[in-house]
Amino acid sequence: MSNLIVHGGTPLAGRIIPSANKNAVLPVLCATLLTREPVRLRGVPEITDVKKILEVFRNLGSLVSMDYASGVLDVHHRDTHFDAAKDRLPEEMRSSIMLVPGLMARFGAARIEDDVTGCTLGVREIDPHVEVFQRFGAEVTRQPDGLVLQVAQAKLRANDHWTDYASVTTTENFVLCAALAAGRSTLTNAASEPHVQEFCTFLQMLGAKIDGLGTSRLSITGVDALGGGEFTFAEDFHEIVTFLALGAITGGQVEVRNSTPEQFPLLDRTFAKFGVQIVHENGWSRAVTNGPLKVKEPFTRNILQKVEAAPWPYVPVDLLPIFVALGIKAEGSVMFWNKIYDGAMGWTSELSKFGGHAFLSDPHRMVTFGGKPLHAAEVESPYIIRVAIALLMVAASIPGRSVIRNATPIRRAHPQFVENICSLGARIEWVEGE
């Protein structure tokens, strides 16, 4: 377990170039299994989950050349092999389930390990994914340590599907299966997050025929084979928001490179609820504050200011903890509503160690009573990436030495994260703990 030591109270200032979005990079890596041609990816971050998937590729006989200094990955699955009876996929990593379509399309078989849950956000079922695989022709058998999937003659069949909810990973698995399935497949209630769109753009570059990007209905016409090519990842909007929030919560001035400001109108208005103005100019974004943060009062009487998080184009649930941190700091009260996960809000006790006031209304809703005097503290993060970052944000805004225990999840998504913050003037360091 790795802990973070944070010496807070310093306004952060400077410029940051964000890394690529983990939630785009990992499905794109899985998608490379669909082609036998060489692929070059630029902007691949040095994070734990990337390393795990590349190790799987090497174990399966793929050619992998990764230069983390430049972020350039060359991968070629020409001689890849797979045996469902002995080959294992990474556990404790949600994205490993997206290796299944490529394996089924190439080898007619795949596995789903028992532990593919990822962050501890609550119940994260695999049934929607299994249903997608079955609709494309997979027969599923339960084994003592997971599920084995078999596809007759290694040929997936096109189909139409309407999901129960707009799941990102389920959408990506449907697209992966449909890309090489004979015929036309349609998915209704598809997720449309920026990283889903980036993933689909990559597959289009390989030759996939996908219509409806950015909408809730995708139509995919299967092709006989996909080609190779070169692809460069965009900046991660999660990191952009995080660094802007770090500037705001510390009373500093941080500029972040942002090539997609068209994705930010709702996020900009969400920042404004805490008294933070976001300015986008010449490919860069910055947060502007005028004195201490203060919650904007609603015009409707007798209601709390609120931030509702749900599938895109709502505020993304992954960013809700970042705004919770602002809510603890800003004077006023805010209700936060996570409309997806039932186990992602139970960290109010850690905020209270800083002197923050927060009340868990139910598994989906939290109310913060911000602007209270805060003090440095030692806190423990649950295994949720951006909760660890939110606790770091609060600590960075408070003079004194704080400790964020079990901050390891940050390394799953953000390369050089602490180094980037330190370049803005922060005093933060990793230490190994028990």
Side-chain angles (χ1 to χ4, degrees):
M1 181 175 70
S2 296
N3 305 328
L4 283 173
I5 308 299
V6 182
H7 299 274
T10 302
L12 303 185
R15 281 190 162 189
I16 287 290
I17 298 177
S19 66
N21 187 339
K22 170 184 81 79
N23 293 328
V25 173
L26 299 179
V28 164
L29 287 180
C30 295
T32 63
L33 272 176
L34 293 174
T35 179
R36 298 177 184 272
E37 301 300 320
V39 174
R40 170 167 285 188
L41 301 175
R42 296 187 178 275
V44 178
E46 185 177 2
I47 57 177
T48 307
D49 288 5
V50 166
K51 293 179 178 179
K52 287 182 179 180
I53 289 182
L54 295 186
E55 186 61 25
V56 171
F57 289 165
R58 293 187 181 98
N59 291 337
L60 298 182
S62 300
L63 298 176
V64 177
S65 176
M66 180 71 236
D67 181 357
Y68 287 113
S70 64
V72 176
L73 166 67
D74 288 295
V75 61
H76 194 180
H77 298 296
R78 181 189 59 199
D79 301 319
T80 306
H81 54 77
F82 179 77
D83 184 346
K86 63 178 182 179
D87 292 319
R88 293 291 185 270
L89 303 183
E91 296 188 9
E92 297 181 355
M93 184 174 68
R94 185 69 171 174
S95 57
S96 67
I97 203 168
M98 288 183 291
L99 293 168
V100 170
L103 295 174
M104 291 195 305
R106 292 189 62 159
F107 307 106
R111 289 184 56 87
I112 299 177
E113 310 299 341
D114 273 345
D115 191 0
V116 290
T117 54
C119 288
T120 53
L121 296 166
V123 177
R124 305 187 74 180
E125 57 183 340
I126 64 170
D127 291 72
H129 305 281
V130 175
E131 184 177 10
V132 164
F133 301 146
Q134 288 174 322
R135 293 186 68 85
F136 280 96
E139 292 187 5
V140 182
T141 304
R142 184 177 295 278
Q143 302 288 341
D145 55 352
L147 303 177
V148 173
L149 301 90
Q150 300 284 342
V151 179
Q153 299 177 339
K155 191 64 178 177
L156 300 172
R157 59 171 185 251
N159 71 97
D160 298 334
H161 188 42
W162 192 318
T163 61
D164 294 347
Y165 57 95
S167 161
V168 167
T169 314
T170 305
T171 297
E172 290 164 342
N173 267 330
F174 186 93
V175 174
L176 288 168
C177 289
L180 295 178
R184 189 176 183 86
S185 301
T186 59
L187 180 65
T188 302
N189 202 16
S192 59
E193 276 76 358
H195 37 282
V196 176
Q197 297 178 47
E198 189 170 9
F199 158 79
C200 289
T201 300
F202 168 76
L203 281 171
Q204 288 177 322
M205 185 272 293
L206 295 185
K209 296 181 179 180
I210 307 172
D211 295 317
L213 266 68
T215 75
S216 61
R217 183 178 173 86
L218 294 176
S219 180
I220 306 101
T221 301
V223 297
D224 292 334
L226 295 175
E230 184 173 313
F231 185 80
T232 301
F233 290 104
E235 302 98 349
D236 180 6
F237 71 94
H238 298 103
E239 274 203 9
I240 296 170
V241 169
T242 298
F243 286 117
L244 291 173
L246 273 162
I249 202 170
T250 61
Q253 181 80 312
V254 175
E255 288 190 299
V256 190
R257 191 169 72 180
N258 182 4
S259 62
T260 56
E262 66 275 7
Q263 297 174 352
F264 276 72
L266 178 57
L267 295 170
D268 293 346
R269 285 177 24 232
T270 305
F271 269 109
K273 293 178 179 181
F274 303 91
V276 181
Q277 179 188 5
I278 303 299
V279 178
H280 305 285
E281 290 179 338
N282 303 318
W284 294 83
S285 300
R286 69 180 187 274
V288 178
T289 58
N290 296 308
L293 301 183
K294 186 173 183 179
V295 175
K296 181 180 179 181
E297 290 290 333
F299 287 107
T300 306
R301 295 181 183 275
N302 303 319
I303 71 166
L304 294 177
Q305 184 62 269
K306 61 182 176 179
V307 178
E308 301 180 39
W312 190 270
Y314 274 78
V315 172
V317 292
D318 284 351
L319 289 176
L320 199 60
I322 304 304
F323 291 112
V324 168
L326 293 180
I328 288 294
K329 190 72 174 179
E331 179 185 346
S333 301
V334 182
M335 191 269 282
F336 297 88
W337 192 354
N338 185 327
K339 295 186 173 182
I340 298 181
Y341 300 122
D342 60 2
M345 305 288 277
W347 46 288
T348 54
S349 59
E350 302 307 312
L351 293 170
S352 68
K353 294 176 182 177
F354 289 118
H357 288 204
F359 172 70
L360 187 64
S361 306
D362 57 47
H364 291 273
R365 292 180 295 177
M366 174 197 295
V367 179
T368 58
F369 305 90
K372 308 298 182 182
L374 302 176
H375 52 79
E378 179 170 326
V379 299
E380 176 123 10
S381 173
Y383 195 77
I384 303 174
I385 294 167
R386 263 160 284 275
V387 170
I389 293 174
L391 293 171
L392 181 154
M393 285 174 53
V394 175
S397 73
I398 304 169
R401 179 183 183 274
S402 293
V403 179
I404 316 297
R405 293 179 57 81
N406 193 27
T408 307
I410 294 174
R411 288 174 163 161
R412 289 189 53 219
H414 301 290
Q416 306 299 311
F417 186 75
V418 169
E419 291 82 353
N420 281 332
I421 300 174
C422 289
S423 74
L424 301 174
R427 293 174 58 205
I428 304 175
E429 60 181 321
W430 286 104
V431 296
E432 298 306 314
E434 297 179 357

